[in-house]
Amino acid sequence: MAGSTITVERPENSAVYTFNKYGEVVYTSHFVGASNDIPLPKDGKILFVGETGSVVNIE
């Protein structure tokens, strides 16, 4: 899925982070004006953080 974009619907008390292959943050839902469209970098990682029982919808 590298190079593609996913759309995430998440609860209010949650966050999403995307890291490149060097471990650097390239996206976070805490960026000012962050959209729900998240780019997926090659060899990167994505982290979903939230309260226990929270549900994240991914398209």
Side-chain angles (χ1 to χ4, degrees):
M1 293 185 67
S4 63
T5 301
I6 60 172
T7 302
V8 174
E9 184 180 317
R10 61 182 185 81
E12 185 175 321
N13 294 327
S14 66
V16 179
Y17 297 88
T18 304
F19 303 88
N20 63 17
K21 66 181 179 179
Y22 303 108
E24 302 165 326
V25 174
V26 294
Y27 170 90
T28 176
S29 54
H30 290 292
F31 284 156
V32 173
S35 75
N36 291 332
D37 298 325
I38 302 171
L40 301 177
K42 183 177 179 183
D43 299 322
K45 296 178 183 176
I46 189 166
L47 173 67
F48 299 95
V49 181
E51 297 176 348
T52 301
S54 296
V55 175
V56 175
N57 296 311
I58 302 170
E59 291 183 29

